Amino acid sequence: KNEVEQSPQNLTAQEGEFITINCSYSVGISALHWLQQHPGGGIVSLFMLSSGKKKHGRLIATINIQEKHSSLHITASHPRDSAVYICAVPSIQGAQKLVFGQGTRLTINP
Amino acid sequence: NAGVMQNPRHLVRRRGQEARLRCSPMKGHSHVYWYRQLPEEGLKFMVYLQKENIIDESGMPKERFSAEFPKEGPSILRIQQVVRGDSAAYFCASSPLNQGAPQHFGDGTRLSIL
């Protein structure tokens, strides 16, 4: 079973701050997913990455396969970034079966 | 190109009734996944289906829960004789045929059991 740990569980910051959310997993993987769940509950897939770094707007995701660790960064954070960010990796029982972290609840205050 | 469509968004049932949750995948997607999010808990895999086939149902409770993805129409997650513990958000995701493609999520169905 692939275990996924996220930190911190909760994060509150001021608008404009640089945000980092971390994800560690226990078993080697082919790709890692970062998801965003807004207060309304819907889930959006932000990134799927298997090596290096990906960038989309103010969001940056990095992964270190050797260390089994990924980070999600948000630059120039804004209150609309307030959401739960979830890391997910494939289960060792099947690549299509995702195992999820508990999520990091991010609150950005104006 | 519409995303993954789930309905209803909210469903209220009394104990003992049946709940039917529907999921229409994105156009061109042939793989469907169901996940459950219990209150204050993380997402958990339930079942993975392709058209007319259940590929992996290792996350499905042994009783009362079933899923299908017929040749025509949406995927259905069916919960018979619902109990209070079934109250949760149920998310559907879909992906295209190629292995390793990202999954696209629907907005979920929030099931409340009275």
Side-chain angles (χ1 to χ4, degrees):
Chain A
K1 182 182 169 184
N2 210 347
E3 304 285 346
V4 183
E5 293 287 332
Q6 283 187 239
S7 63
Q9 287 190 13
N10 294 283
L11 178 56
T12 299
Q14 290 299 121
E15 184 174 354
E17 287 189 39
F18 181 81
I19 302 300
T20 296
I21 298 169
N22 296 299
C23 174
S24 296
Y25 50 93
S26 58
V27 180
I29 57 169
S30 54
L32 178 143
H33 304 253
W34 280 103
L35 310 171
Q36 180 192 56
Q37 186 171 26
H38 267 284
I43 294 174
V44 174
S45 181
L46 298 174
F47 295 103
M48 187 175 84
L49 67 166
S50 53
S51 65
K53 177 172 145 178
K54 282 191 175 180
K55 185 174 189 288
H56 185 249
R58 294 179 295 105
L59 300 177
I60 304 165
T62 64
I63 188 167
N64 184 318
I65 296 292
Q66 287 74 29
E67 294 187 3
K68 299 188 179 63
H69 180 269
S70 175
S71 293
L72 177 68
H73 305 284
I74 305 175
T75 61
S77 59
H78 190 275
R80 65 174 173 266
D81 297 326
S82 298
V84 176
Y85 292 84
I86 303 167
C87 165
V89 300
S91 166
I92 57 174
Q93 285 100 8
Q96 298 298 95
K97 177 178 170 180
L98 294 179
V99 177
F100 299 86
Q102 284 294 95
T104 294
R105 186 175 299 276
L106 175 65
T107 303
I108 304 297
N109 293 320
Chain B
N1 186 15
V4 177
M5 304 298 293
Q6 287 189 249
N7 66 82
R9 287 296 307 276
H10 301 274
L11 181 61
V12 179
R13 285 286 177 265
R14 296 190 179 280
R15 280 177 294 172
Q17 290 184 321
E18 178 180 287
R20 291 170 72 89
L21 287 62
R22 287 177 290 279
C23 169
S24 296
M26 281 183 71
K27 189 176 179 182
H29 286 192
S30 55
H31 297 205
V32 165
Y33 316 82
W34 285 94
Y35 300 97
R36 179 165 68 172
Q37 188 176 39
L38 292 167
E40 305 304 318
E41 291 191 21
L43 288 154
K44 296 281 195 305
F45 168 84
M46 297 183 77
V47 62
Y48 162 36
L49 310 105
Q50 295 177 21
K51 286 279 186 184
E52 299 184 280
N53 280 309
I54 297 174
I55 306 303
D56 183 343
E57 57 180 347
S58 57
M60 290 278 270
K62 293 288 183 282
E63 297 175 349
R64 303 186 297 107
F65 284 70
S66 62
E68 62 175 8
F69 188 15
K71 189 176 179 181
E72 301 290 337
S75 175
I76 305 286
L77 178 68
R78 183 178 175 213
I79 311 171
Q80 295 178 287
Q81 298 175 297
V82 296
V83 301
R84 287 251 170 88
D86 297 332
S87 295
Y90 292 83
F91 288 93
C92 168
S94 72
S95 69
L97 185 60
N98 50 306
Q99 284 285 330
Q103 297 179 21
H104 296 256
F105 284 78
D107 286 338
T109 293
R110 274 129 195 94
L111 175 64
S112 299
I113 308 303
L114 302 179

